[in-house]
Structures are given as C-alpha cells and as structure tokens.
Amino acid sequence: MPQATATSHSSRRRHDREIVALALPAFGALVAEPLFVMVDSAIVGHLGTPQLAGLGVAAALLTTAVSIFVFLAYATTAAVARRVGAGDLASAIRQGMDGIWLALLLGIAVIAVALPSAPWLVDAFGASDTAAPYATTYLRISSLGIPAMLIVMAATGVLRGLQDTKTPLYVAIGGFAVNGALNAGLVYGAGLGIAGSAWGTVIAQIGMAAAYLIVVVRGACRHGASLRPDAAGIRASAQAGVPLLVRTVSLRAVLMIATAVAARLGDTDIAAHQIILSLWTLMAFALDAIAIAGQAIIGRYLGANDTEGARETCRRMVQWGIASGVALGALIVLARPLFIPLFTGDQGVQSTLLPALLVVAVCQPIAGVVFVLDGVLMGAGDGRYLARAMLITLAVFAPVALLVPTYGGGLTALWWAMALMMTVRMMTLWLRTRSGKWIVTGATR
C-alpha cells in the first residue's frame, strides 16, 4: 500500500475514533433530557386529565424558555475547545466559568419574569379553565429550577470543550433517576400532587448543576483558574451568544410556523404532524451528537493552529453525516409498519402520516450534512454567519409554508416545504465551509 494511502487511512481512523468517543456519550445525554418530561407526564397523568393538560402547557412554556438559551452550551464549547487546542487549560476553564456566571444571571432574570407572569403566560397559551391552575402551579415552582438548568447547559459546554462527553452522560442518567424517584415520592407519598412533580424536577436540576460545578471547580483548582465572576468575560460570553440566540429563535420560528400551518389543515393533519415531529426530534438527537463532536474537535484544532486537521475533520464528519442520514432514512422506511401503529390506530391519521413520513426519510441525508456543518461552524465560532444563514432560511421557508393551505397538498406539501428549508440550510452552510472563511486559528476568534 502506498504511504500516502496508508497515511490517509490512518488519519480517517483517528478522526473516526475521536468522533465516536465524543458522539456516543453525547447522544446518550441528549436522549436522557426529554425523559424528564416523559417521567413527569407518566406520574402526573395518573392524577387526572386536567393535571396532565396543565403539565403539558407548563412544560411547553419551560422548554421554550430554556431552549432559546442553548447558545450557553454551544458558544462555551467552541470557546473552551479553542483554548484547549492552544494548550491553555487554565484559560479554557476560566472561559467556561464566564459562561456559567452568565447562565446564573440569565436564570435569575427569567425567574423574575416567570413568577409574576405565570398566570398570563398560561392563559396566552390557551390552557382550559380546569387545566390553568395546575399549569400555573407547575410553571411557578419549576421556574425556580431554571438557573440550575442554564448552569447545566453552560457546564455541559465546558466539559464538551474539554473533550469530555462522558461526564454529562453520567450526570444526565443520575438526574433522570433522581427525578423519577422524587416525583413518585412527592406526588403520591407526600401527597403534593402536581406541585410535588415540579419540586422533584427542581431538586433534580439543582443536583445536576451541583454535580457539574463540583467537576468544573475541581478542574479550576487543579489548573489555577479563577472562579470569581469577571464582568468583561461575562460580557464577551454574552456577545458571542447573541448570534447563536438569533439562529435558535429563527429555527424555533420555523417549527412554530410548521405547527401552525398543520393546525390550519385540520385535526387529522395536526395529529399526524405531531407524530412526525416527535420522530424528527428523535433522529435529530442522533445527528446532533455528531455535531457536538464536531464543535469540540474543530474548536480544538483551530486553537492549535492546525488548519489541515480542521479541514480533514470537517470532510470526515460530512461523510459521517451523510452515512448516518442514509441509515436513519432507511430505518424510517423499513420500520414504519412497526412504529406507526404505536402512535395511533386512527386509519385517517395513518394514511395522512405515511406519505409525509417518506418525505422525512428522503430528507435525512440532507439533515445529516446540515447538522454536521452546523456543528463545524459553531466549533469555529462562526456564529454571525450561522445567524444570517438561518434568517435567510426562515425568509425562504415562511412564505412557502404559509401558502400550503391555499394551494393544497396537505401535510405532505408542508413537509416538502420543510425539505426545502433543510436544503436551503445545507446550501448556505456548504458555501461557507467551502469558502474557508470559517477557518480562523488561535486561542480566540
């Protein structure tokens, strides 16, 4: 075998090992997160329909409030990974602490808004008269855990930047177990009802935040990094996060528009849409795990001034994204007779669901590339471009989706609009990576 070929194979194997080592634990941690709500739903569901409906409204509000701050994880991962690549672990952890302090401040601000406005938010979300009191109770109590949730996000970003995705997996598993035990004990054992479920989640989230802080503080002490809040560092973390906030809000707007359009199509279409959206989210976890690996690895290579390593990793991860997308698409097609009946026995919903689901299957290789390149550019700290690209995508998607009820085509046409959205995202991200403008080396961008 020629030496160049042998070197190429060795490089691919090295990249593959790095990707797998980071992506598999990341996937486990990602899957564990939605299980919190599932456990709450299973326990509260036995209290009665109004309580479960109230939980559904409050959980949706909490998820929205927390998810828009996901930049705390993404921006921190990239910034920490760069400093790791530069060989400055003290500075890396110091940067991570700035992100954690920012998370605490944002969490306090959200509490200040959520507590007094909880009844209004619940009413604006359309909760029924019977469900609204339960939703308000759950939202007010659970909002007390938002600072801990945001600290968990930021600290997860610190550890990912340090090339550690195993610790977040262990913390997520522990948090899930504690949450389940506390919910059961407080809801039924202590007789607190839906309030017990909310308190159980708050305590579990605080415990997870404490576990992360212990790990980060130990690392800071080991490498001599300061733990005190630094106004300039916190401000820099916030500035780095603003473009990613714009990107996230734009993406949430796409999903909200799609759901609103599906609702206008009728009850059968919105039911089928929700099933597809659940499957889409599950597949996104698998692809996002690869993207998380990309954030950590790309940031490290750029911090080490290794542009060729960054390019090679990008190319290899795109191959991983395509292969994963093809595998997921094939799984959807082959397994559809098995999982569709698990979601619904309604023949109308099933017949509406099937053609749209096939569109989703076709889209998965595109989604694989999108998630990977998204992770690559996040790892490079290219947030401003990601914000612009997502705004362009939203501008293309919105009018097309909103015209679906007018011109017909039903749910399948809506998901073709979603396919267009993913294709536009892929093109904007591909053009950026091809240009090489994302490659900025050094400990800071």
Side-chain angles (χ1 to χ4, degrees), residues 135-193:
T136 301
T137 296
Y138 190 93
L139 181 59
R140 277 182 165 157
I141 296 172
S142 293
S143 66
L144 299 176
I146 287 178
M149 295 180 195
L150 299 187
I151 288 172
V152 165
M153 275 189 182
T156 299
V158 176
L159 295 181
R160 288 173 181 170
L162 293 171
Q163 318 294 296
D164 176 9
T165 56
K166 290 183 179 178
T167 299
L169 173 61
Y170 300 148
V171 174
I173 292 173
F176 169 69
V178 170
N179 180 64
L182 285 173
N183 269 259
L186 294 175
V187 170
Y188 298 113
L192 296 180

Side-chain angles (χ1 to χ4, degrees), residues 4 6 17 21 50 80 102 110 117-118 215 228 275 288 312 330 340 363 421:
R17 284 194 298 269
V80 171
L102 175 62
V110 173
S117 63
V215 173
R228 294 179 179 178
I275 293 171
D288 203 27
E312 285 182 7
I340 290 178
C363 281
M421 179 271 295

